[in-house]
Amino acid sequence: MAEHPRIGFVSLGCPKNLVDSERILTQLRAEGYQLVPSYAEADLVIVNTCGFIDEAVAESLDAIGEALDANGRVLVTGCLGQREAEIRARHPQVLGVTGAHAYEAVMEQVHRHLPAPHDPYLDLLPPQGVKLTPRHYAYLKISEGCNHRCSFCIIPQMRGDLVSRPIGEVLDEAARLVEGGVRELLVVSQDTSAYGVDLKYRLDIHGGRPLETRLKSLARELGQLPAWTRLHYVYPYPHVDELIPLMAEGLILPYLDIPLQHASERVLRAMRRPAASERMLSRIRQWREISPDITLRSTFIVGFPGETEEDFDRLLDFIQEARLDRVGAFAYSPVKGAAANELPGAVPEPVKQDRLARFMEIQAQISRDKLAAQVGRRLTMLIDEVQEERLVGRGPGDAPEVDGQVIVEGAWEGISPGDFIEVEVTGYDDHDLFAEPV
Ligand code: SF4
């Protein structure tokens, strides 16, 4: 099998079905599946069917038969999927059948029959990426590839230089998603702040207006939609500062996922990343002045080749001063083909693990203090799940899958996933907040 599992996709029927197809395709791409245009190249084929009139049923059954003949591994979804017995009577060998608008169920079947390999250095989704995205939030991929050459990373080798999608295309997709029930757009790419650099910020037409293909214009436009917009993987370029006023205005969520990786200038230089942590601290202070509710998430690598105890102390000082809200940390491990593998000064594994534990201990206390400071505050909560005895959702500061949750105890009538409710925070535990509706 190829490095990225390959999927062929056949979409039949009306525009609504097309939106469903786009939704499934977006999810497949976000999880690292490769979409291929022929049956022969595919490891698996999905047929999104129509069952509206007899002619459409016949066309759908034929399309399934064609895919089975040409490829053999076929999943069926869409309107005709409601009539599973009819499909199985004609094509008993299909791998699975799901009905219309069943994104989660389709993805579950794809994972079962063609698992996506997880690579933390390549995947845009969190490690629990196989968890299904409920239909009220969606990942909006704005570009592919990266122009940086961080020494620990092989993404540019694998996916090439940055290729941005024109702003009109991204905004059309966002509008379709919101129309289809999405209430939170998670903007992802390998390098979100570089959006448009490759296109020289070219003008594109959207809604009859010329717009620059650049992150600030994109954020401003997404902010007009009746959904939350959350920015992920924002490399710390200076122009990121321009986004903070949009957060203060309430156009996009006051949330920035900004991978900093380290704070020692020496280590950052070895990583081939911008090395100005003093400047970073003053920028963070400014961001908090402009948008006091901003939630900052970052990731760090400890035990990078050549990292001394002094470098590591510098990192600890930084996190103590920056007091970031959410932090992920990893002990460095070499990635096959990465330039960093050639660097001298490999840090012994026990030292790496010891540093990671020290780092996490300090950050855990900071995160606890941050959660404690939320008690008594009011926030808007997006409902992810309605359980028998409680509501589970998230506030503006919690990205799905990677951050904490907000929990409201009790049985609640008339509330569904995707609803927004106002709550007051009443308590917290290690990761989550507890709240009551106001
Ligand atoms: S910014 Fe660096 S770490 Fe991120 S994808 Fe580009 S090269 Fe890799």
Side-chain angles (χ1 to χ4, degrees):
M1 195 188 295
E3 204 148 352
H4 290 273
R6 294 162 307 188
I7 293 196
F9 201 98
V10 181
S11 184
L12 304 166
C14 67
K16 268 200 257 120
N17 218 33
L18 189 68
V19 173
D20 289 356
S21 294
E22 285 173 343
R23 188 84 213 273
I24 299 166
L25 291 169
T26 306
Q27 187 65 31
L28 288 168
R29 287 285 302 275
E31 291 189 15
Y33 288 93
Q34 192 186 340
L35 303 170
V36 290
S38 73
Y39 292 130
E41 288 168 75
D43 301 311
L44 178 87
V45 177
I46 302 174
V47 184
N48 190 8
T49 59
C50 175
F52 185 51
I53 51 171
D54 288 351
E55 228 175 270
V57 171
E59 191 196 355
S60 293
L61 288 170
D62 287 347
I64 297 166
E66 197 188 303
L68 281 168
D69 289 342
N71 182 280
R73 289 169 51 77
V74 176
L75 292 176
V76 178
T77 185
C79 298
L80 187 63
Q82 318 293 83
R83 290 148 66 172
E84 182 169 352
E86 216 171 308
I87 297 171
R88 292 217 176 263
R90 171 106 172 256
H91 301 299
Q93 61 288 45
V94 293
L95 295 175
V97 179
T98 53
H101 319 303
Y103 320 112
E104 295 89 346
V106 180
M107 291 309 300
E108 194 178 283
Q109 293 202 341
V110 171
H111 297 148
R112 190 169 335 130
H113 296 288
L114 189 64
H118 178 70
D119 180 338
Y121 284 91
L122 290 178
D123 291 354
L124 290 171
L125 290 185
Q128 318 83 305
V130 286
K131 187 170 178 299
L132 304 166
T133 308
R135 71 183 58 181
H136 60 275
Y137 63 81
Y139 293 90
L140 184 65
K141 194 167 183 183
I142 60 170
S143 61
E144 183 59 83
C146 181
N147 286 348
H148 294 285
R149 295 294 181 263
C150 302
S151 57
F152 54 82
C153 176
I154 53 164
I155 282 174
Q157 276 151 264
M158 304 276 298
R159 302 208 171 159
D161 284 341
L162 180 80
V163 179
S164 303
R165 297 172 64 196
I167 191 166
E169 187 184 308
V170 176
L171 290 172
D172 285 345
E173 181 183 341
R176 274 198 303 275
L177 288 168
V178 173
E179 221 167 279
V182 165
R183 292 290 163 262
E184 178 177 6
L185 294 163
L186 302 143
V187 174
V188 294
S189 70
Q190 256 84 39
D191 180 7
T192 295
S193 36
Y195 177 61
V197 169
D198 54 315
L199 299 176
K200 302 201 169 48
Y201 307 116
R202 198 168 65 206
L203 287 179
D204 193 28
I205 302 294
H206 176 70
R209 286 177 306 132
L211 291 172
E212 275 190 321
T213 296
R214 133 185 341 260
L215 188 58
K216 191 175 174 194
S217 340
L218 179 70
R220 188 173 278 289
E221 292 300 314
L222 290 174
Q224 311 299 328
L225 295 170
W228 280 355
T229 297
R230 194 183 293 283
L231 302 181
H232 283 283
Y233 312 105
V234 181
Y235 191 92
Y237 289 104
H239 72 255
V240 170
D241 298 1
E242 298 172 4
L243 299 170
I244 314 300
L246 303 185
M247 299 180 183
E249 278 178 58
L251 286 173
I252 57 173
L253 286 177
Y255 182 98
L256 208 51
D257 172 10
I258 190 153
L260 297 171
Q261 311 302 10
H262 213 283
S264 146
E265 279 75 7
R266 241 175 42 81
V267 176
L268 283 166
R269 266 197 299 276
M271 289 178 168
R272 301 194 202 139
R273 307 230 352 146
S277 53
E278 264 320 309
R279 173 90 191 97
M280 203 58 237
L281 282 172
S282 74
R283 287 174 73 193
I284 290 172
R285 271 193 294 273
Q286 266 169 22
W287 295 347
R288 288 186 171 135
E289 270 166 35
I290 299 169
S291 179
D293 292 339
I294 194 168
T295 297
L296 297 172
R297 154 170 276 281
S298 192
T299 48
F300 294 90
I301 297 173
V302 302
F304 191 75
E307 182 193 66
T308 61
E309 201 52 37
E310 199 186 333
D311 294 319
F312 180 64
D313 283 344
R314 181 95 188 77
L315 174 60
L316 294 186
D317 289 347
F318 178 86
I319 59 161
Q320 273 163 311
E321 200 153 336
R323 296 185 68 77
L324 303 171
D325 302 81
R326 325 253 180 224
V327 168
F330 307 93
Y332 172 77
S333 68
V335 176
K336 205 164 155 242
N341 301 349
E342 311 302 322
L343 292 173
V347 178
E349 199 53 41
V351 177
K352 274 191 226 171
Q353 294 305 332
D354 173 65
R355 288 181 187 168
L356 181 62
R358 282 154 63 198
F359 180 103
M360 291 314 283
E361 198 182 314
I362 292 175
Q363 183 57 40
Q365 185 56 51
I366 296 171
S367 300
R368 266 195 302 275
D369 295 348
K370 292 266 175 180
L371 287 173
Q374 297 284 324
V375 175
R377 285 193 55 197
R378 289 188 173 193
L379 50 89
T380 304
M381 166 180 177
L382 175 60
I383 305 294
D384 284 328
E385 265 177 80
V386 179
Q387 300 176 351
E388 238 167 70
E389 293 296 332
R390 59 185 201 163
L391 303 172
V392 180
R394 292 170 293 107
D398 314 301
E401 313 286 339
V402 288
D403 294 329
Q405 295 178 314
V406 182
I407 293 159
V408 174
E409 301 289 357
W412 301 89
E413 295 279 310
I415 294 180
S416 314
D419 287 351
F420 289 106
I421 63 168
E422 297 301 312
V423 296
E424 182 173 315
V425 179
T426 53
Y428 64 97
D429 64 13
D430 282 351
H431 303 283
D432 301 325
L433 293 173
F434 295 88
E436 281 173 4
V438 288

